Amino acid sequence: MKKENRNKILLCYSIIILLMMIPVCGIIYHLVDNTVISADKWNEKANKELSEMVVINPERGDILACDGAVLATNLRYYTLHIDYLAEGFRDDTLKKYIDPLCDSLAKYFPRRDAKEWRTHILKPLDYKKRPRYYTMIANISYADMQRIKTFPYFYKRRPGKSGLTVETKLRRVTPYGDMARRSIGSVGQHETCSEIHGISGLEKALDTLLYGVPGVAKKIPLTKGIVNWTDKPAVNGFNLLTTIDIKIQDILENELNNVLTYCDAEWGVAVLMDVKTGDIKAISNLQKDEKRNRYIEGMNRAVRRFEPGSVVKTLSMMIALEDGIVSNLDEVITTGSSYAYAGGRAISDSHGVASMKVREVIERSSNIGMTKIITKKYGEDPSKFYERIKQTGFLDTLRTGIAGEVPPSFAKLKNDRGGRISLSRQCFGYNSEIPPLYTLALYNAIANDGKFVKPRLVSGLISEEVDSTLPVEYVRQQVCSPANAAKLREMLTAVVWGNHGTARSLQDKKVRIAGKTGTCYMVSDHGGYDSRKRLAFCGFFPAENPVYSCIVLTCNPRQNAFGAASTSGQVVKNIALKLYSRGMLNNSSDYHADAADQADKDREPVFYAALNRDDVASLGRAVTGNDRTRFLPSPAVHEKGVPDVVGLGLREAVSTMEKAGYNVSFTGLGHVAAQSVAPGSPLAAGTRIMLTLKE
């Protein structure tokens, strides 16, 4: 019996051993095959795998304002998903905490109320096939993501039990919204690869500096497997220090927007430069959004060509002074009401006089006067006028870093009757196309004693190893002599302050402005000029010691104001006064010149209040011993109800709401995507309105 059992046991063991030997033999066979028989094939495959190089994308550099404020940067955004099939996920646990969870979400993320959040989170429980990657909330900041992890249900609960997963994505953001957006530019994915490159503005023009240099990683075998090993580290892009001044940019954009709204223009562009350095301190391009009846950042027309109108007369007068065509500014020119040069159609002045002095040609903006001056030398050989303009450097490409920049275009004139007639028009603004930025650069040179400094948007490069300041560059060291520059400044000052100036409405004793108006009829779609106008004002301030130069171009105003001075010139004046009031023109910040002469009682404290007059009056008596208390009225109900601010940047939205009498809270980043109260609702003033921002 024992022997029989022993035989059975041995048989069983033999069978088990035989069965075990089958996979062992297989393993031995594959081992021999891989290491001996097919070694070459596997070595080739391994070498191919290890030879693959992985590109390490560099971190894109930031674009900074002149004071270091961030205009464009990379930020990580987070999207939270819930895995309803996670191993430790329990329906009853989620339902237990759903009410306090939704209350917390509604408080910090009011894009949904508590009821809507409850529906949103519990909805996947009713699906036949529950999702593993259900989006709970998208595009939130790191701080918001960390806050959500402290909410009921998610707090101290492992991802395997809560189902919470986090997806991160790097995005390019502009913290100041639309401020100088066209000049800063934007980025996007390259057509042929997954790399992110600039597609407009500075982002595109200086992409090679901002993008950096990609690194390379190779694969190496370690004990735990094949890993990426950095062979050549990526070099991050430079941070670009721009010349944009946030405070001046804010002033310029608001003043341009206000005047465009007042005159209902199609679009407008404004650029402000530092006279000595050529630093572009502010630049704005606004165009009318007819659907929403507001102005938005449009195409960068500062570097696009337009017929300049009378602002080009300053260039012609500069050439006349430099060439000695005129030397005595008091020389009298016979003008009259019309002048037919070379048998062409008669040239006229809007306010023609029998005669005027040379110094008055710019002041009166005389087409006839400028024609007689320029044709005096160049009438016999019009082609030389183009060559003379080219000598000034005015036709050179400035290379400011603004994408889409093109140089001025002047027609090359023939030495015949047609060329002479064209010359008579070209010298006062026709037969040529000039970008506003180039016109500004010329006026800036006149303000800068003839030093033709090159406009620029970038003043420095910053990285871990480099902190460089780019030098000021010149188109020409002297485009005209300091003496002639002084004469031109005198003429441009007379445009505003002279008895016959075309911009006398811009006079203000606090800031003396000098400049030139320009009006140009626009070409219709069917050819020829129509009734629409482009209105320009280019100048500098203060006139006696220029700090800034500025150009504004307004297209087709349709109400209230229709002249170059009352539209574009008014923008320049408003900007100058705002800078003066803030002490940004090398002056005291006290707006009132006679502040030192005010009586002592006028310098005593003033208290402001909106509601309880008795309490504030008591406070005033307690502190000052008198009843000198001034009250701000309580906000009135907005006549048209709550304003519509969807689509605006935060700065514009808050300003609009507060002007209407409402308080504002907000959440998120970017533009206004939603407001808690519908536009036009008859809501009482002082009510708080929640704005939801989204990139």
Side-chain angles (χ1 to χ4, degrees):
M1 188 71 179
K2 287 183 178 180
K3 186 176 180 180
E4 183 179 348
N5 288 338
R6 182 172 177 275
N7 291 333
K8 288 181 178 180
I9 293 172
L10 290 175
L11 179 62
C12 289
Y13 274 117
S14 298
I15 294 172
I16 292 173
I17 291 172
L18 288 173
L19 292 174
M20 291 179 64
M21 287 300 295
I22 294 173
V24 170
C25 290
I27 292 172
I28 293 172
Y29 169 77
H30 283 291
L31 179 63
V32 173
D33 179 63
N34 291 340
T35 57
V36 180
I37 302 173
S38 303
D40 293 340
K41 181 182 75 172
W42 289 109
N43 287 334
E44 181 182 351
K45 189 173 182 178
N47 291 332
K48 184 178 179 181
E49 179 73 20
L50 294 174
S51 64
E52 287 184 3
M53 307 300 284
V54 178
V55 176
I56 304 173
N57 291 323
E59 184 174 338
R60 191 173 183 84
D62 297 339
I63 298 179
L64 311 173
C66 64
D67 61 354
V70 177
L71 297 177
T73 189
N74 298 313
L75 286 183
R76 289 199 175 275
Y77 283 83
Y78 299 83
T79 298
L80 303 188
H81 305 278
I82 297 180
D83 179 2
Y84 288 87
L85 293 177
E87 184 179 354
F89 182 84
R90 297 290 181 271
D91 295 8
D92 54 351
T93 306
L94 175 61
K95 291 177 180 178
K96 176 181 176 182
Y97 291 98
I98 191 66
D99 288 334
L101 171 61
C102 292
D103 288 341
S104 299
L105 287 168
K107 178 179 179 181
Y108 291 100
F109 304 95
R111 61 188 72 176
R112 294 186 177 93
D113 59 26
K115 185 178 179 181
E116 290 170 335
W117 275 114
R118 179 186 177 92
T119 301
H120 176 64
I121 294 174
L122 293 181
K123 181 169 58 174
L125 297 180
D126 299 327
Y127 292 171
K128 268 188 177 181
K129 186 177 180 181
R130 292 185 179 182
R132 304 216 62 162
Y133 212 58
Y134 183 75
T135 301
M136 183 183 77
I137 188 169
N139 296 325
I140 60 174
S141 66
Y142 177 79
D144 286 339
M145 184 263 292
Q146 292 296 107
R147 178 183 283 118
I148 288 177
K149 288 184 176 181
T150 66
F151 288 174
Y153 179 68
F154 295 123
Y155 184 59
K156 290 186 178 179
R157 195 177 298 274
R158 294 193 304 272
K161 289 190 175 182
S162 68
L164 185 68
T165 59
V166 180
E167 177 189 3
T168 179
K169 191 173 184 180
L170 198 63
R171 295 174 59 190
R172 192 73 167 173
V173 298
T174 52
Y176 287 92
D178 279 344
M179 184 172 285
R181 183 171 66 89
R182 285 289 177 179
S183 298
I184 295 168
S186 56
V187 300
Q189 186 169 321
H190 196 272
E191 296 177 356
T192 59
C193 62
S194 61
E195 296 176 355
I196 302 299
H197 290 279
I199 57 177
S200 66
L202 284 175
E203 297 276 21
K204 178 180 179 181
L206 302 173
D207 182 70
T208 53
L209 293 173
L210 287 164
Y211 182 72
V213 180
V216 176
K218 62 183 180 182
K219 296 181 179 294
I220 62 171
L222 296 178
T223 306
K224 294 183 178 180
I226 297 176
V227 299
N228 292 332
W229 185 271
T230 300
D231 189 46
K232 178 184 176 184
V235 179
N236 294 334
F238 286 100
N239 293 334
L240 296 186
L241 186 66
T242 72
T243 59
I244 296 293
D245 186 307
I246 294 298
K247 291 176 288 186
I248 298 178
Q249 179 71 35
D250 185 54
I251 292 171
L252 181 138
E253 283 192 7
N254 279 312
E255 296 307 326
L256 179 62
N257 182 77
N258 291 341
V259 171
L260 293 180
T261 302
Y262 175 72
C263 68
D264 190 28
E266 289 183 14
W267 53 261
V269 57
V271 187
L272 185 139
M273 275 174 51
D274 183 288
V275 167
K276 301 298 182 185
T277 64
D279 289 351
I280 298 173
K281 292 296 183 182
I283 180 171
S284 182
N285 297 270
L286 299 179
Q287 65 185 35
K288 185 73 173 287
D289 181 353
E290 299 292 350
K291 291 183 179 179
R292 302 185 66 84
N293 193 31
R294 64 177 53 144
Y295 287 91
I296 60 175
E297 187 76 13
M299 74 168 64
N300 206 331
R301 293 183 171 90
V303 291
R304 292 175 65 89
R305 295 181 185 134
F306 301 100
E307 279 193 325
S310 293
V311 291
V312 84
K313 289 174 182 171
T314 305
L315 172 62
S316 298
M317 183 61 78
M318 183 187 75
I319 291 174
L321 289 171
E322 285 292 298
D323 289 358
I325 302 174
V326 294
S327 55
N328 180 10
L329 298 186
D330 293 319
E331 177 187 347
V332 177
I333 303 174
T334 302
T335 52
S337 59
S338 66
Y339 175 57
Y341 177 71
R345 192 174 63 180
I347 300 169
S348 62
D349 286 335
S350 56
H351 301 288
V353 293
S355 63
M356 65 183 69
K357 296 178 179 179
V358 170
R359 69 171 68 251
E360 294 177 338
V361 170
I362 297 293
E363 177 184 345
R364 293 176 181 269
S365 195
S366 173
N367 298 336
I368 297 173
M370 188 53 64
T371 297
K372 287 197 169 186
I373 290 172
I374 291 301
T375 57
K376 184 177 180 181
K377 176 176 180 178
Y378 294 101
E380 294 302 318
D381 192 356
S383 63
K384 289 185 177 179
F385 188 64
Y386 174 85
E387 295 301 325
R388 185 64 183 87
I389 293 173
K390 190 174 182 180
Q391 288 174 13
T392 66
F394 190 61
L395 304 182
D396 294 358
T397 302
L398 294 177
R399 291 188 289 274
T400 57
I402 302 176
E405 177 191 324
V406 292
S409 173
F410 277 74
K412 295 182 179 181
L413 308 178
K414 296 181 179 180
N415 295 329
D416 56 15
R417 177 176 173 273
R420 288 191 288 274
I421 293 173
S422 295
L423 172 66
S424 68
R425 271 70 176 172
Q426 193 176 76
C427 67
F428 62 77
Y430 290 89
N431 289 324
S432 61
E433 291 184 324
I434 305 172
L437 185 60
Y438 282 72
T439 303
L440 176 61
L442 177 70
Y443 278 69
N444 191 84
I446 293 168
N448 197 22
D449 280 333
K451 297 182 180 68
F452 198 173
V453 67
K454 184 180 292 187
R456 63 177 186 175
L457 260 178
V458 179
S459 61
L461 301 174
I462 302 172
S463 69
E464 293 181 359
E465 300 178 354
V466 176
D467 188 354
S468 65
T469 300
L470 303 180
V472 174
E473 295 185 60
Y474 293 87
V475 180
R476 297 287 187 275
Q477 283 291 337
Q478 288 291 151
V479 71
C480 67
S481 67
N484 284 333
K487 292 176 183 178
L488 289 166
R489 287 198 299 272
E490 180 185 339
M491 295 180 195
L492 294 171
T493 302
V495 172
V496 179
W497 294 90
N499 295 329
H500 310 291
T502 58
R504 295 191 299 277
S505 62
L506 304 183
Q507 293 180 11
D508 193 289
K509 292 182 179 179
K510 300 176 185 69
V511 185
R512 287 172 61 86
I513 297 172
K516 181 74 185 74
T517 55
T519 302
C520 184
Y521 286 97
M522 299 171 62
V523 177
S524 70
D525 296 334
H526 308 291
Y529 294 100
D530 58 26
S531 59
R532 297 176 302 154
K533 297 178 181 178
R534 281 190 301 270
L535 305 167
F537 184 87
C538 188
F540 42 84
F541 53 86
E544 60 277 8
N545 185 23
V547 177
Y548 295 114
S549 58
C550 185
I551 187 170
V552 179
L553 194 62
T554 304
C555 178
N556 191 29
R558 292 167 284 200
Q559 66 180 25
N560 299 326
F562 302 95
S566 58
T567 54
S568 298
Q570 190 62 44
V571 176
V572 176
K573 178 181 178 180
N574 293 346
I575 292 170
L577 290 176
K578 285 286 180 67
L579 294 177
Y580 177 85
S581 68
R582 288 163 170 75
M584 299 172 71
L585 296 179
N586 299 328
N587 64 298
S588 167
S589 60
D590 189 352
Y591 189 90
H592 301 285
D594 59 348
D597 299 326
Q598 293 178 347
D600 290 343
K601 61 184 181 66
D602 291 333
R603 293 198 295 268
E604 292 176 353
V606 177
F607 294 87
Y608 297 86
L611 298 175
N612 195 324
R613 303 173 76 90
D614 295 334
D615 290 348
V616 178
S618 300
L619 177 61
R621 284 192 295 272
V623 176
T624 66
N626 59 46
D627 291 322
R628 292 190 68 256
T629 308
R630 182 149 59 110
F631 298 91
L632 291 177
S634 298
V637 176
H638 194 239
E639 293 180 359
K640 298 181 181 179
V642 176
D644 180 7
V645 297
V646 174
L648 294 181
L650 178 60
R651 177 169 51 86
E652 295 88 352
V654 171
S655 175
T656 301
M657 283 293 187
E658 290 183 344
K659 285 180 180 177
Y662 302 109
N663 296 320
V664 179
S665 296
F666 68 92
T667 180
L669 294 171
H671 294 79
V672 178
Q675 55 189 76
S676 60
V677 180
S681 300
L683 194 65
T687 305
R688 183 167 296 278
I689 296 175
M690 173 64 75
L691 305 179
T692 301
L693 308 182
K694 187 176 181 181
E695 285 289 340

